[in-house]
Amino acid sequence: MDYPSTKWRLIGCFSFELFTKKKETSYRMNPKFQKNLQQYLTHGGTLPREPMPPNVTVRLPTLEDLEVYAHQQWECFLLQLINSSQAERLTSFSSSTMRVFQRGLLSSRENEAPKLTENGFQFLLMDTNAQLWYIIREYISTSEDRGVDPTDLISFLLELSFHTLGEAYNLNTLTDVQRNAIKDLADLGLVKLQQGRKESWFIPTKLATNLSVSLTDSSSRKEGFVVVETNFRMYAYSTSRLHSEILRLFSRIEYQLPNLIVGAITKESLYNAFENGITAEQIVSFLQQNAHPRVAEKIPTVPENVTDQIRLWETDRNRVEMIPSHLYEDFPSKDLFEACCDFAREYNCLLWEDSKKMRLIVRGEFHQQMRDFLRRPKQ
C-alpha cells in the first residue's frame, strides 16, 4: 500500500515505521504477523478450530433464525431475572447455573421469593452488550468454585468470539471444560446446539461474536422502540414481554396492545424506581438509547422538559439526607462542652452545636468514642 509523502522502513519482521512530513512517527503491524499473533492469542499456538464441512451438517439455521433464537434465549433469561416464579421456562437452566448468572442481581431470604437487588434493577436498563459482559465476568469469577481454571475459560471465550457467525463446529473437538461451558452458554443464547445422525455441533450466534466488540460500539445495538412526548406519555412499539416488564420499572403502563405499549412517566413511578436504586441518568440514557427511529435522529431524542423533570424529581427526593446521630445536652460545665465539641470536630463527626444551651449532635458511629471521652478523668 502506497501513501504520498511517506517512507516505509521494516523494523525486524514485526512492524513498519511510518514517517510523515510533520515528522510524526506512527506504527503499523505487519499484516502477516498481525494475523499470526491473533491466532496465537485466540488458539494458544494451536491450529484454529475449523468449521464442519457442509456435507456433514444438515439444516443449519439461517442467520435470521439464529438471531431470533439468541434473542429468545436472552429474553427468557432476563424474564426469569425479573420474575422467576412467573417467567415461562423456555430454557433448561439448572438451579446451580442460574445462581451463577444471577449472583449479585438477586437477593433471597428464607421462605421468601428472590428479589432484584439495586444492581439487578440497574442491570436491566443496561445495553445488551454491557449485560452480556456483566454475566460473563460473573461466570469467570466463579469458575474456581466449580473446579474450572479461569485461564482455560477465558481462553475458550476469547476463541469463541472469533468464530464465524452461523458456522457449525464439532463438539468432539472440545475438552470437558469447554463442553460444560458450551452448554451453559447455549442456555444464554450465545450458541445453538444441534445433533446430527453421527456428529453434534454448536453454532455461534451474534451474542458470542459480540464478545470481541467494544462496549461503546453502536453497530451491535438494535433498533429502538420508544417514543416519549412532552406531556410525559410514552409509546413503545414492541411485542416483547421483556420490554413491557422493563418499562414498568420506571413508568406506569396504562394499556397494552399486541404491538404497542402505552404508558406514562409519573412522579410516583419514578419514586419507585429511585427506591430500587435506579438513577435518573440511567432512565434518561435508556430512553435515549432505545428511541424509535422516527425520533432517534432528532435533537434531543427525548424532550428536554421530560429529562429535566426526571432529574428534578430525583433531586427533590434527595433533598433530605438521613444520618444516624446522637444528641448530647445537660453538660455540667462550659469547658466540658467545648472540649467535647473540639473532640468531635477533630474526627469530623460534629453535625451541630448550640453553644448557648450547650447541646451538640454527633454521628451515630462516633457515640462510643464520645462516651469513652466523657468517662475520662478530668484534670
Side-chain angles (χ1 to χ4, degrees), residues 7 20 38 55 85 91 107 153 156 212 215 250 252 286 292 309 321 326 337 365:
K7 293 182 180 180
T20 65
Q38 177 179 313
N55 61 339
S85 61
T91 61
S107 64
L153 187 56
F156 177 61
S212 60
L215 291 179
F250 59 86
R252 184 187 70 226
F286 176 83
H292 192 277
Q309 188 61 62
E321 182 182 1
H326 284 271
F337 167 76
E365 65 270 19

Side-chain angles (χ1 to χ4, degrees), residues 108-113:
S108 59
R109 298 179 179 177
E110 292 184 4
N111 303 324
E112 290 186 9

Side-chain angles (χ1 to χ4, degrees), residues 240-253:
S240 171
R241 180 183 171 188
L242 175 63
H243 289 162
S244 175
E245 294 297 329
I246 291 178
L247 293 175
R248 290 181 193 275
L249 297 178
F250 59 86
S251 66
R252 184 187 70 226
I253 303 300

